[in-house]
Structure formats: C-alpha cells, structure tokens
C-alpha cells in the first residue's frame, strides 16, 4: 500500500469518525465536530452541513447515490446531496448514541445499533419504527443485513457476542460467543488472556455472498466465521497481525477476488487475502466435551490448514484507526482512512489486486 496524499483543507475541526463513498465519485465524512462533509475524488470539499451531534455512521442509498442516511447522536437523519443546506428528515428512534447504520438490499429497511445494545429496525417507506431487537448486554457496535437472505440480520457487540436475527419476526436465530474460539497455536487459550484482552467486537462485515463474516476484536485478532444454514456460526480461522484492538474491518470485493482490510488501535492498516480455502477450527466447548468423553482424535488437527498466515501489505499509519472505506478512482483502487485527527489519508492498493481472469 502506498500513501498518496492526505486531505484536510481545514474542514473538520475534530476527529473523523466515519467515511463512505458512493457511486458518483463522492466521499462523505462525518466527525466529532458534528459535521458531515462531501468530497470530490480530487479532494475538494463540495458541501458540508453541521448537525446536532457527532456524526457516527453514513449510509448511501445504492439505487440513488444522492440520498444519505446518517446518524447524529441518537438520531437518524435523511440528507440529499443535491440540497445539502438542510436535513430532509430526522427521527429519534434510539435512546443512546448510534454506532452504525445499515440498509437492506431492497432499500426498504434501515437498522441502527446503539450504546444501550438495542437495534432499531426502521421502515424507510414511512420512516417509522418497525421492530426493536434486544439481546446484547452491552454496546452493540455493528449491524449488517444479510446480503442474500432478505429476512436476516447480523449484529455484534462489546459483549463478545455476534447474533443472527429474523428481523421481520423480531426473533433471535442464533448467538455465537467469540470467547469460544480457540486461541494460540495449539488451540488453547493462554492463561489470563481474556482477563486482559477480551474479544470484544468493535467492527463486523459480511461477504457479498453471505457465506461468512469477519469481526475485529479487542484481543488484536480478525476472526473469520462461516455462516451455516439459517443463522448458525462456525469459526474458520483468525488473522493475527495487530498488537492492539482491531477497530475496523472491511471486506473488499474485486470481481472474483476477495480481500480483507483491517485497522487497529496500534495504528496499523493491514491487507489480507480473502479467497483462501479453510479448514474449520473446532469450538472450544465442543473440543473440551469430546476430550472429556474420550472422543477426541489426537491425530486430527483442529487448526486451519490453509489460512492466510501474514498480510499481503502492512502500513504503519501511526494513529488509531477510526474508519476505512474504499473506491475505484480512475485506474486506481483507493482505501480511505480516518483516524484520531481531522485528516483523511488515501492509500493505493492497486498493485495488490491481480488482473481478473
């Protein structure tokens, strides 16, 4: 990855929290200064608008890239970039600050998750509350609609839990605790590891085909989990490269090529290959049970046989990563990085993407 430039122009006056790029060559940034800003691909500010609170998440409507849904504090706001001098609509569905906004593939519902652990499902056709999902004990940090199963939703939080939901019925389908994932080379959890670095989930993304999710954890790992059947989870492998918590993860899809990018509290940005075929690891609880019952085959390895061992590229960015997004700009593939500053850093990852066959 090559650093191309940094954008500033004295626009944001505090840390940038979120970034999103639409199909019309516009990057949007939201910050702790309550501003949401629109940038051209040349780094020029098109427009900016001050909201009532921190701008924590941004979601463009895919079929109409002029429309933005964004969270400001505990409010969900509708904006139109063609008329960016005021908010088109703003509703308060959540009781506490929203951490992520996500739209379903049919563009009929939006999900917002907040610091109370609640998930609100909003019907966009009437901009009204449709369902409230409650299962997380602490902060719900991330929420994503399943890309191929119209009624399913995924959520993750600082309780170390990832949940799958039938959001139409308001029913939890399954839960998976990241503390059940094996740790260490032999699958054992090092003594005291989770006392110091519990696998709190700071960020989550789902693959385009809905076959797996990736989670950025406080223990410095990127955990890859397979989605099996209806809402079931099977841990595949983890990516080890960060020395502190992983604050942001994202799956990048380039034709048939899939890549994973992770950013951490250690100031590192890592790029990983995502197309490897993997052997599933065994759940900690299942492995312990089989060992007690004498069913464990000591000659069969539970660890991954073909997982990525090291990143394709690593950048010492130098500051804690708040958010990342990507876009194709001309002949280049750019990763935009927001950190604790008011700057946006642009990295070129083009050389790491092989030509499509």
């Amino acid at each position: 990855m090559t650093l191309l430039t940094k954008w500033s122009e004295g626009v944001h006056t505090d840390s940038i929290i979120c970034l999103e790029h639409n199909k019309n060559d516009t990057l949007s940034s939201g910050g702790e200064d309550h501003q949401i800003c629109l940038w051209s691909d040349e780094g020029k500010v098109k427009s900016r608008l001050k909201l009532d609170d921190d701008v924590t998440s941004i979601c463009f409507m895919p079929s109409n890239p002029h429309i933005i849904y964004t969270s400001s504090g505990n409010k969900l706001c509708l904006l139109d970039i063609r008329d960016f001098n005021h908010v088109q609509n703003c509703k308060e569905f959540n009781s506490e600050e929203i951490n992520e906004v996500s739209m379903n593939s049919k563009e009929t519902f939006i999900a917002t998750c907040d610091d109370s652990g609640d998930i609100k499902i909003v019907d966009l056709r009437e901009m009204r509350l449709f369902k409230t999902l409650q299962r997380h004990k602490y902060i719900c940090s991330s929420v994503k609609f399943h890309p191929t199963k119209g009624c399913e939703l995924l959520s993750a939080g600082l309780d170390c839990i990832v949940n799958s939901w039938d959001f139409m019925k308001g029913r939890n389908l399954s839960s998976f605790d990241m503390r059940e994932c094996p740790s260490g080379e032999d699958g054992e959890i090092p003594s005291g590891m989770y006392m110091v670095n519990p696998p709190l989930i700071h960020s989550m993304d789902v693959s385009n085909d809905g076959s797996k999710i990736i989670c950025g954890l406080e223990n410095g790992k990127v955990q890859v989990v397979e989605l099996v059947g209806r809402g079931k989870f099977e841990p595949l492998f983890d990516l080890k490269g960060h020395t502190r918590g992983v604050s942001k993860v994202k799956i990048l899809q380039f034709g048939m090529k899939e890549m994973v990018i992770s950013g951490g509290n250690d100031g590192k940005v890592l790029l990983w290959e995502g197309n490897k075929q993997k052997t599933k690891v065994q759940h900690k609880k299942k492995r312990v049970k089989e060992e007690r019952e004498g069913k464990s085959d000591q000659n069969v390895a539970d660890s991954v046989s073909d997982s990525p061992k090291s990143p394709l590229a690593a950048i010492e960015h130098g500051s804690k990563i708040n958010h990342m997004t990507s876009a194709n700009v001309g002949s280049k593939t750019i990763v935009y990085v927001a950190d604790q500053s008011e700057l946006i850093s642009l990295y070129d990852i083009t050389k790491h993407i092989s030509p499509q066959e």
Side-chain angles (χ1 to χ4, degrees):
M1 287 185 283
T2 304
L3 177 63
L4 295 177
T5 186
K6 293 188 178 184
W7 293 349
S8 60
E9 289 197 9
V11 178
H12 284 285
T13 58
D14 209 335
S15 298
I16 297 174
I17 303 174
C18 55
L19 298 167
E20 197 61 52
H21 200 284
N22 73 358
K23 297 177 181 178
N24 286 0
D25 305 325
T26 297
L27 179 78
S28 183
S29 61
E32 291 184 352
D33 57 1
H34 304 182
Q35 285 194 102
I36 180 169
C37 302
L38 305 177
W39 306 74
S40 71
D41 282 339
E42 293 74 37
K44 303 298 182 183
V45 176
K46 297 179 177 181
S47 302
R48 53 181 169 171
L49 181 64
K50 188 129 182 171
L51 302 180
D52 293 335
D53 210 331
D54 294 358
V55 180
T56 54
S57 185
I58 298 168
C59 178
F60 281 100
M61 180 173 279
S63 67
N64 185 354
H66 298 295
I67 300 299
I68 298 175
Y69 287 91
T70 187
S71 53
S72 176
N74 68 334
K75 296 177 181 177
L76 177 66
C77 302
L78 168 63
L79 307 174
D80 189 327
I81 65 176
R82 296 164 298 187
D83 184 18
F84 209 65
N85 58 1
H86 67 282
V87 176
Q88 304 292 323
N89 197 355
C90 194
K91 294 286 185 72
E92 187 175 311
F93 300 108
N94 296 74
S95 61
E96 297 191 27
E97 183 172 82
I98 296 169
N99 294 309
E100 189 165 41
V101 174
S102 178
M103 185 182 295
N104 71 334
S105 59
K106 293 183 179 180
E107 302 177 355
T108 51
F109 292 99
I110 266 191
T112 60
C113 61
D114 66 26
D115 283 355
S116 73
D118 287 356
I119 301 160
K120 303 292 183 176
I121 308 297
V122 178
D123 187 334
L124 293 182
R125 292 161 292 194
E126 300 178 15
M127 198 67 168
R128 65 173 180 86
L129 182 64
F130 176 72
K131 283 281 193 303
T132 297
L133 308 178
Q134 294 176 313
R135 196 172 181 88
H136 288 284
K137 296 178 181 178
Y138 310 116
I139 293 170
C140 183
S141 55
S142 189
V143 63
K144 294 283 190 295
F145 285 95
H146 195 290
T148 62
K149 298 179 180 179
C151 295
E152 290 190 27
L153 180 85
L154 299 156
S155 65
L158 300 194
D159 54 2
C160 307
I161 304 294
V162 58
N163 287 306
S164 63
W165 305 84
D166 182 330
F167 73 89
M168 295 297 290
K169 296 180 179 179
R171 182 165 63 92
N172 181 262
L173 298 174
S174 181
S175 298
F176 180 72
D177 192 329
M178 288 294 162
R179 288 165 290 198
E180 295 179 15
C181 290
S183 219
E185 293 298 321
D186 58 359
E188 294 297 325
I189 298 176
S191 177
M193 175 179 175
Y194 289 112
M195 294 296 290
V196 179
N197 294 313
L200 317 177
I201 308 171
H202 292 299
S203 176
M204 175 186 66
D205 201 7
V206 58
S207 60
N208 285 358
D209 62 1
S211 64
K212 62 179 176 289
I213 60 170
I214 57 171
C215 296
L217 308 181
E218 174 62 23
N219 62 15
K221 296 179 182 180
V222 177
Q223 183 68 49
V224 183
V225 179
E226 184 179 15
L227 299 176
V228 183
R230 190 159 191 240
K232 301 297 182 182
F233 302 99
E234 289 286 347
L236 289 175
F237 60 93
D238 55 44
L239 304 173
K240 304 181 184 74
H242 291 281
T243 57
R244 295 181 65 188
V246 181
S247 51
K248 182 64 181 178
V249 292
K250 189 172 180 63
I251 297 176
L252 310 178
Q253 194 76 41
F254 306 100
M256 297 300 292
K257 188 174 182 64
E258 183 181 276
M259 306 181 86
V260 172
I261 192 162
S262 60
N265 295 340
D266 55 3
K268 292 181 181 179
V269 178
L270 306 179
L271 186 68
W272 308 83
E273 186 174 352
N275 288 107
K276 291 281 188 180
Q277 296 299 313
K278 309 98 186 171
T279 300
K280 297 174 187 176
V281 297
Q282 197 175 49
H283 282 216
K284 178 190 172 189
K285 286 183 178 179
K286 183 177 179 181
R287 175 165 47 82
V288 170
K289 181 181 178 181
E290 289 185 357
E291 287 174 356
R292 287 175 177 172
E293 295 175 353
K295 296 179 181 180
S296 178
D297 186 350
Q298 299 299 321
N299 297 317
V300 179
D302 288 334
S303 60
V304 176
S305 64
D306 192 23
S307 64
K309 299 297 182 183
S310 59
L312 294 172
I315 289 290
E316 292 287 349
H317 180 75
S319 180
K320 175 185 174 182
I321 308 302
N322 281 344
H323 209 273
M324 299 181 297
T325 192
S326 67
N328 293 319
V329 181
S331 60
K332 296 179 179 178
T333 300
I334 307 298
V335 171
Y336 302 87
V337 177
D339 55 32
Q340 297 291 285
S341 74
E342 70 278 7
L343 307 178
I344 301 173
S345 300
L346 281 66
Y347 291 98
D348 184 2
I349 64 168
T350 308
K351 69 178 181 180
H352 300 290
I353 304 168
S354 61
Q356 296 183 16
E357 299 179 356

